Amino acid sequence: GIGAAIGRALDGITNVYVRLLDRMLPRASIIVVTALLLIVGGVFSYRALGTGFLPEMDEGSFILDYWTPGGTALAETDRQLHIVEQVLAETPEVVGTSRRTGAELGLFATEQNRGDIAVRLKSRGDRERGILEVIDEVRGKLESQVPRMRVEFVQILSDVLDDLSGAGKPVEIKLFGSDLNALETYAKSLAEPLEKVEGLQDFFAGIAEPSAEMAMKVQGAEIARAGMTANQVSNVVSGALLGVAAGEIRLDDRAIGVRVRAPDSVRFDATQLGALPILTPSGGQTVPLASVATFVTQDVRSEHLRENQQQVLMITAGVEKRALSEVMTDIQTVLSAHPVPAGIRMELGGRFASQQQAFRSLLIVLALAALSVMAVMLVQFRSFIEPLVVLLAAPLSFVGAFIALLITGTALNVSSFMGLILLVGLIVKNGIILLDFTRSRMLNDGVDLEEGLREAARVRLRPILMTTLCTLFGLAPLALGIGAGSEMQKPLALAVIGGLALSTPITLLVVPVLLVAIRGRGHRLAAPSVHG
C-alpha cells in the first residue's frame, strides 16, 4: 500500500543519511567550508534582496483621495468629480463607488475642495488585471482629463496600517525650518529629480496651490480724520461679511438663529464692498469704506503645517511595483546630490521610518528568541557545547530563507522577518531531537559520541523528516497565495519553507560533524550516580 511505500522510501533515505554521515564525521573541514560558503551566499542574497515594511496586497478595493486647488468653489469641485466618476464608471473592473466631498474616510470634516472616493472592484477571480494595473490606468486618465486635481491612491487596509504605525504616506521627506520661502525653494529643487525615481507614484512636492484672497488695508490718516479706529472699521467689515446676530426664530421643536449680512454681490466684489457705508462716531455721518481702506486681490498659501511646534513642509509619495529599500536608496542618492541648505533640517519619515523601527524591534526579538532557546538547551544538556553547536546551524536556515525570497521576488519585510524568528525554533528543534537521543544512548548504554550519533541518525531521522514535511506542506497554501488575505502571510511562509528546505539536510550533517570535531570521536559521558 501507500503507507508501505512511504515507509520503504523513508528507510532508503535513512540508510543514505547514515552512510553519508559515516563519511563526513572524520571530514569536519569539508562541512565547515560548505557551511561558510552557504553563509557567504546568504550575505550576497541579503544584499540583493529588497526590503519593505508590509507586503503588497490586492484588497479588491481602494481609496482615491483628491484635492482641487485651494479656494475652489464647491460647484467646481463637484464638476471635476463628475469627470472622475465617469472615468471610474468606464473602468470594467469597477463595480461601485462612494464619494465624499468636504469629508474623508472616518467622517472627518475637511475643506470643500477635498475628499475621497471609495472604489470597489470585482473579485480577483472575475478580473484579468490586478489592482495596481487598474490604478495605473485610472491615474493616467485623470492626469489628462483633470490635470489640476491632485489625486492619491491607497488601498484601505494599507492606509489603516500606515495610520496605526504613524506613517502617513509610504515616502515622507520632512523639511523643518523657520523660513517657509527657503523650504519651498529647496523642495522645488528636489521635486524634478525625485519625480524621476522609478517606483514613486502620486508624488507631491509639499507645496499646496495658492488660494485667492482679498486683503483690506486700512488707511491710518483717513480713519484718524474721520475720528475712527482700525478696530471699528474691522468690525463693520466683519459684520458685512460674516453677519451680525439679529435674534432667533422659535419653532415648535427648535430655535433658528438669524444673522444679517451683506448680499453675496457685495461681499465678493471689491468695488461693491468699497461702497459700504460706515457710520462715524461723531456727527452721525457716513463715509464709504473705500475712503478709509483699500482692497487688494492676491494669492496666498492655502495651508501651513507644523509638527512638534515646528514649521514643516512634507514631500510625499507612494511606492508601487518596487521594493521600498530600492526606492529609498535612489531617494537618498538624490538627497546627497542636493545638500540641505543652512537653516533647514531634513528628516525621513513615512513607511521607511516605520520599517527601520520595526526591524530594530524584531532584531531584539530574534536575539531574545536565541537566548531563550539557549537557556532551554542548557537545562537539557547541562553543557554549553551542544547548545552552541545547535545555534551555529541557525544562520544556515536564514540563507535558505533569503534565497527563497530572492527567487520569488519577495521583499524582506515585517512578515518575512517573523518567519526568520520562527526558523530559529524549527531548526533548533531538529538538533535537539538528534542530540537528545545521542545523549540518552551515551548515558544509558555507555557508547561513545560517534556511535551514539550513528544510532541517533538511524532512529531519529524519520521524526525529523515527518515534522519538517508537515510544516512545509502546511505552509504551502500560504506560499502559493491561496485564500483571502494570504498576501500578508505569504512572505512568512516563503521564508520558513526556504529556510527549512535548505537547512534541514545540512543541519543534520553540520551539527553531528561539528560536535565530533569539538568533543572528539571517542567522547563518553559518565553514567549518573545513584545515591541511596
Side-chain angles (χ1 to χ4, degrees):
I2 297 177
I6 294 176
R8 288 192 297 271
L10 289 175
D11 290 338
I13 294 173
T14 301
N15 293 331
V16 171
Y17 170 55
V18 172
R19 288 197 297 270
L20 184 61
L21 186 62
D22 285 338
R23 295 182 180 181
M24 289 294 104
L25 283 177
R27 297 178 176 86
S29 58
I30 298 177
I31 292 295
V32 172
V33 171
T34 303
L36 291 177
L37 289 176
L38 285 172
I39 292 175
V40 171
V43 172
F44 281 106
S45 300
Y46 173 76
R47 292 184 177 275
L49 190 64
T51 61
F53 182 45
L54 294 173
E56 288 189 355
M57 295 176 290
D58 187 338
E59 301 176 21
S61 60
F62 62 87
I63 297 295
L64 186 156
D65 293 315
Y66 61 84
W67 292 261
T68 54
T72 302
L74 184 60
E76 174 60 18
T77 300
D78 184 63
R79 184 193 69 81
Q80 296 187 36
L81 288 174
H82 281 306
I83 299 175
V84 176
E85 290 173 326
Q86 182 64 30
V87 170
L88 293 171
E90 294 173 352
T91 304
E93 290 83 2
V94 174
V95 296
T97 62
S98 174
R99 191 234 293 184
R100 284 173 286 262
T101 301
E104 59 184 5
L105 189 62
L107 302 180
F108 297 104
T110 65
E111 297 83 358
Q112 62 187 17
N113 67 314
R114 63 174 296 186
D116 59 38
I117 300 177
V119 182
R120 183 164 56 89
L121 306 181
K122 296 178 181 178
S123 62
R124 191 66 182 92
D126 296 334
R127 49 187 164 94
E128 297 179 356
R129 298 186 298 178
I131 191 169
L132 296 181
E133 295 174 291
V134 176
I135 289 175
D136 283 343
E137 178 184 320
V138 174
R139 180 187 289 116
K141 291 182 178 180
L142 296 185
E143 287 176 354
S144 61
Q145 298 186 33
V146 279
R148 294 201 65 191
M149 177 181 287
R150 178 164 70 93
V151 295
E152 291 181 357
F153 296 84
V154 62
Q155 298 189 63
I156 298 176
L157 180 58
S158 300
D159 190 30
V160 171
L161 292 176
D162 282 341
D163 290 340
L164 291 175
S165 64
K169 302 293 179 184
V171 174
E172 286 184 355
I173 303 174
K174 301 179 182 180
L175 305 178
F176 297 91
S178 57
D179 187 349
L180 188 55
N181 290 325
L183 294 179
E184 291 185 350
T185 300
Y186 182 54
K188 290 177 181 177
S189 69
L190 295 175
E192 184 176 353
L194 286 177
E195 282 187 291
K196 297 178 181 178
V197 173
E198 183 184 356
L200 283 186
Q201 298 289 353
D202 303 330
F203 179 83
F204 177 53
I207 305 172
E209 288 204 35
S211 178
E213 179 182 271
M214 185 168 62
M216 182 184 74
K217 184 177 181 181
V218 178
Q219 305 294 326
E222 297 299 331
I223 63 172
R225 189 177 296 112
M228 303 176 64
T229 64
N231 188 47
Q232 290 173 323
V233 176
S234 176
N235 289 337
V236 172
V237 176
S238 176
L241 296 177
L242 303 179
V244 177
E248 61 183 15
I249 299 175
R250 296 181 179 273
L251 302 180
D252 293 338
D253 58 343
R254 65 187 184 278
I256 301 175
V258 177
R259 298 183 71 84
V260 178
R261 60 171 175 78
D264 290 345
S265 59
V266 174
R267 297 167 65 224
F268 301 132
D269 189 333
T271 304
Q272 295 291 331
L273 193 60
L276 190 72
I278 298 180
L279 184 66
T280 60
S282 60
Q285 298 180 349
T286 60
V287 295
L289 177 60
S291 65
V292 295
T294 58
F295 298 92
V296 179
T297 302
Q298 58 187 3
D299 291 335
V300 297
R301 296 184 177 93
S302 59
E303 64 180 12
H304 293 266
L305 300 179
R306 288 184 176 271
E307 184 175 290
N308 295 328
Q309 303 301 316
Q310 300 177 73
Q311 189 166 248
V312 62
L313 187 149
M314 287 195 290
I315 302 174
T316 62
V319 177
E320 292 181 6
K321 301 178 181 178
R322 198 176 178 206
L324 179 62
S325 61
E326 298 174 356
V327 173
M328 290 306 301
T329 298
D330 291 347
I331 289 176
Q332 289 171 334
T333 301
V334 172
L335 297 178
S336 300
H338 298 75
V340 181
I344 296 178
R345 179 173 64 86
M346 184 176 64
E347 180 181 310
L348 295 177
R351 196 175 293 174
F352 174 73
S354 299
Q355 176 215 349
Q356 298 297 306
Q357 182 179 359
F359 276 23
R360 285 192 293 267
S361 300
L362 289 172
L363 280 174
I364 295 175
V365 174
L366 180 62
L368 290 176
L371 289 175
S372 300
V373 169
M374 184 75 175
V376 171
M377 288 192 293
L378 283 174
V379 175
Q380 176 72 20
F381 295 109
R382 300 178 184 180
S383 168
F384 281 97
I385 302 298
E386 284 79 5
L388 286 175
V389 170
V390 172
L391 280 179
L392 284 175
L396 298 176
S397 64
F398 296 167
V399 175
F402 294 151
I403 293 176
L405 294 175
L406 185 62
I407 291 175
T408 58
T410 306
L412 177 64
N413 48 44
V414 172
S415 179
S416 49
F417 208 124
M418 292 173 63
L420 298 183
I421 297 173
L422 181 61
L423 277 173
V424 174
L426 293 175
I427 298 302
V428 166
K429 175 264 301 178
N430 292 338
I432 292 176
I433 292 176
L434 191 66
L435 297 187
D436 183 66
F437 186 87
T438 302
R439 178 181 175 83
S440 176
R441 294 288 291 123
M442 293 174 69
L443 286 174
N444 297 331
D445 299 333
V447 301
D448 59 24
L449 178 60
E450 185 173 355
E451 180 61 26
L453 286 171
R454 286 196 181 93
E455 293 190 28
R458 187 176 298 106
V459 175
R460 306 309 293 168
L461 178 62
R462 182 172 292 191
I464 290 175
L465 289 180
M466 290 174 61
T467 54
T468 300
L469 290 174
C470 285
T471 304
L472 294 178
F473 285 114
L475 291 173
L478 283 179
L480 295 173
I482 300 174
S486 60
E487 295 97 334
M488 181 65 74
Q489 302 301 328
K490 183 177 180 179
L492 181 148
L494 289 172
V496 174
I497 288 175
L500 279 179
L502 177 65
S503 64
T504 297
I506 298 178
T507 301
L508 291 174
L509 293 174
V510 170
V511 170
V513 171
L514 285 182
L515 188 59
V516 168
I518 295 173
R519 289 291 196 185
R521 304 176 66 178
H523 174 71
R524 296 176 181 272
L525 292 177
S529 58
V530 180
H531 299 280

